[in-house]
Amino acid sequence: MGFRVSTFHLFLLFTLLSSPVQVFSEERSSLLEFSLRFSTPFSNALANLQNEINYTFEGVGLLRRAMTHSSYSGENNKALSILGESVIETSLALQSLRIDVDISAKDLNLVISEASKVEGSCNTEGTRLGLQNIVRVAPKTNATAPSVVCGAYRALFGAIAIDAASSDKAGEVYRKIHSGVRSAVTL
């Protein structure tokens, strides 16, 4: 009798352990199908932003983080913004030196500092991309504040650099956006 009870218990244990795996697998599959059909305004905005900048993220989580202000979550865009600022500065330095290798250090610093100013092109270009309408902030934080828009703008290029595993690719996207703003201003 002891052997039958043990066999029965093993059979019962096996049945119980295998059932949740199958149920979990079916639930996961249903969730995936549901998430593909269901989209939020934030995910739609991220998709539109990717179209606007002509870059598709391999991991959209990086773009989500880039569009998340520190007031909204502990998982935010601060570190990505620092990387993005470096990408922008490097891109501008390379572009300036390609145009004029004899540019003075003072003039090169001026070009870089203009782009780095929160109230300068950083905010202008971020606003043109509509980042103030995308970036997630806490209820009492002003999403249109230049520091918020500029932080999201910089973080965007930091996220691209990580996603593409290339600061060069991020710089290329930046140059296209930056030159688009300049040509729009000169028209």
Side-chain angles (χ1 to χ4, degrees):
M1 177 82 179
F3 181 74
R4 284 189 204 169
V5 172
S6 295
T7 305
F8 174 74
H9 284 121
L10 287 174
F11 173 75
L12 184 60
L13 183 62
F14 176 75
T15 304
L16 289 174
L17 288 177
S18 64
S19 294
V21 172
Q22 184 179 1
V23 168
F24 176 73
S25 176
E26 290 171 2
E27 285 177 7
R28 197 169 111 195
S29 170
S30 296
L31 279 173
L32 181 59
E33 289 173 18
F34 178 74
S35 68
L36 292 175
R37 282 184 270 137
F38 180 74
S39 59
T40 65
F42 184 60
S43 63
N44 289 338
L46 295 180
N48 291 337
L49 178 59
Q50 290 177 87
N51 289 333
E52 176 78 19
I53 65 172
N54 199 26
Y55 180 84
T56 303
F57 279 80
E58 293 288 324
V60 76
L62 284 168
L63 182 55
R64 286 179 182 280
R65 182 177 284 239
M67 295 300 117
T68 304
H69 187 259
S70 61
S71 67
Y72 186 84
S73 172
E75 293 181 6
N76 57 61
N77 64 10
K78 279 187 168 189
L80 290 173
S81 182
I82 293 167
L83 175 59
E85 184 174 17
S86 295
V87 166
I88 291 169
E89 290 175 354
T90 300
S91 179
L92 285 170
L94 286 169
Q95 187 176 12
S96 297
L97 287 165
R98 282 187 190 135
I99 292 169
D100 180 10
V101 74
D102 294 322
I103 189 172
S104 71
K106 180 181 176 183
D107 289 342
L108 183 59
N109 275 325
L110 184 62
V111 168
I112 291 170
S113 68
E114 261 319 296
S116 296
K117 284 183 186 173
V118 170
E119 276 83 15
S121 65
C122 181
N123 180 52
T124 302
E125 293 173 22
T127 300
R128 186 187 62 77
L129 288 174
L131 300 185
Q132 71 281 5
N133 300 318
I134 302 170
V135 67
R136 298 184 293 184
V137 296
K140 292 184 179 182
T141 301
N142 180 1
T144 63
S147 61
V148 173
V149 174
C150 188
Y153 183 71
R154 291 172 178 164
L156 175 63
F157 300 107
I160 293 170
I162 293 171
D163 187 69
S166 168
S167 58
D168 291 340
K169 180 63 180 174
E172 178 185 313
V173 174
Y174 168 76
R175 283 188 299 279
K176 287 179 183 174
I177 292 169
H178 186 68
S179 67
V181 168
R182 258 201 265 147
S183 60
V185 170
T186 59
L187 291 177

